[in-house]
Amino acid sequence: MGQPDQVNAGAELSTLLRQWWQGEEVVLKQDSVVGKLKAHGIEITQATLSRYLDPGKPSIAREEVIRALHTIFRRPPEDLPLALGLWERATTERTARNRTRATPPADPAPGPQRPSRRRPYGLAAAVLVLLGAGALWLAAPWESARPSDDAAPAAATPSPGALAVCEGEACTGLEPNYTVCRNDAVTTFVDADEVVGVELRYSRACKAAWARIGQTRPGDIARITDRDGRTQKRAQISGHGTHSAMLPAAHPRDVRACAVLAARTICANIPTSAGR
């Protein structure tokens, strides 16, 4: 499901990770690298690792994979900020591309039209209608101040320019990217599927968590549920993934992240080193 993310920063990141791998005195086989990643508490398949290391058809490596590879390949400290900077750029570019795809095309400009030969009866009727509407407004001016029953609700998340601060229950339903919770978020549980990626993202500072899915299709759902059955979920609109809003959680084990697909549900049940 889904296609690899092909963005410039993603290709740069894959190139850097491949240089880390091939820069070893003794180049490890990819299955050996997978084994070392699993020893770090990261569940990953060799096929997924191969996509992370292929600049020609790159997939954006997960943050915890980058950190673990930096340790496994014994790279100098300055290499990690460089890799994480590329990861940040790659995910930003992917989000921007997905938003561009979701923007409907502009309506084509109308072609030249012939002048109308109809008599101006329609214009006179429109003027009469407007005059009648104005009279009704003058008779009941308060009607214009009443909100429409189907008006869109106000946005529940703050502007990205000023990150909101929340903790526990106060984080319920908030968009994590618009809060300080994103600053210390780590992936605490992952799934075992070879294609679809499901992650439980957790912020210890906020005591809140959310579900993140990847390599999925529009219509698939990122869902997080707690022990009391409370749920936050979001359907993917475009691109290759999405994430849910947040639920409060004293510990990552108090919640469960899943990808709800058309024919099956995949959940993140494998703890990472950060989730133990």
Side-chain angles (χ1 to χ4, degrees), residues 58-136:
S59 286
I60 300 173
R62 304 198 304 267
E63 180 183 358
E64 64 271 18
V65 173
I66 296 172
R67 293 182 182 276
L69 290 177
H70 180 266
T71 301
I72 291 169
F73 296 138
R74 302 186 299 276
R75 302 303 302 176
E78 60 270 19
D79 275 13
L80 183 57
L82 174 61
L84 293 178
L86 289 173
W87 174 80
E88 185 72 27
R89 280 178 49 205
T91 53
T92 300
E93 288 176 4
R94 178 177 61 189
T95 300
R97 188 186 70 236
N98 291 344
R99 287 177 179 172
T100 300
R101 287 177 177 175
T103 303
D107 293 332
Q113 298 182 4
R114 296 180 181 179
S116 174
R117 295 183 180 179
R118 296 179 180 178
R119 295 183 180 180
Y121 295 140
L123 177 60
V127 171
L128 290 174
V129 169
L130 290 174
L131 289 174
L136 289 174

Side-chain angles (χ1 to χ4, degrees), residues 156 166-175 208 230-232 245-249:
C166 68
E167 183 177 348
E169 292 293 338
C171 299
T172 303
L174 293 185
E175 160 59 48
R230 293 188 298 178
T231 295
Q232 292 289 335
M246 295 190 289
L247 277 179

Side-chain angles (χ1 to χ4, degrees), residues 3-7 10-15 18 47-61 215:
Q3 297 296 326
D5 299 303
Q6 298 183 4
V7 294
E12 292 179 35
L13 177 59
S14 292
T15 299
R18 190 174 187 86
T48 299
L49 177 64
S50 179
R51 291 197 297 270
Y52 289 167
L53 301 176
D54 183 1
K57 296 181 179 179
S59 286
I60 300 173
Q215 299 300 325

Side-chain angles (χ1 to χ4, degrees), residues 172-216:
T172 303
L174 293 185
E175 160 59 48
N177 283 337
Y178 290 176
T179 71
V180 296
C181 307
R182 73 182 190 181
N183 294 339
D184 73 321
V186 293
T187 297
T188 55
F189 283 83
V190 295
D191 68 311
D193 192 84
E194 292 188 357
V195 178
V196 175
V198 185
E199 301 173 64
L200 177 65
R201 299 284 288 167
Y202 184 72
S203 165
R204 299 187 189 280
C206 294
K207 294 183 176 59
W210 58 96
R212 184 167 71 181
I213 63 176
Q215 299 300 325
T216 46

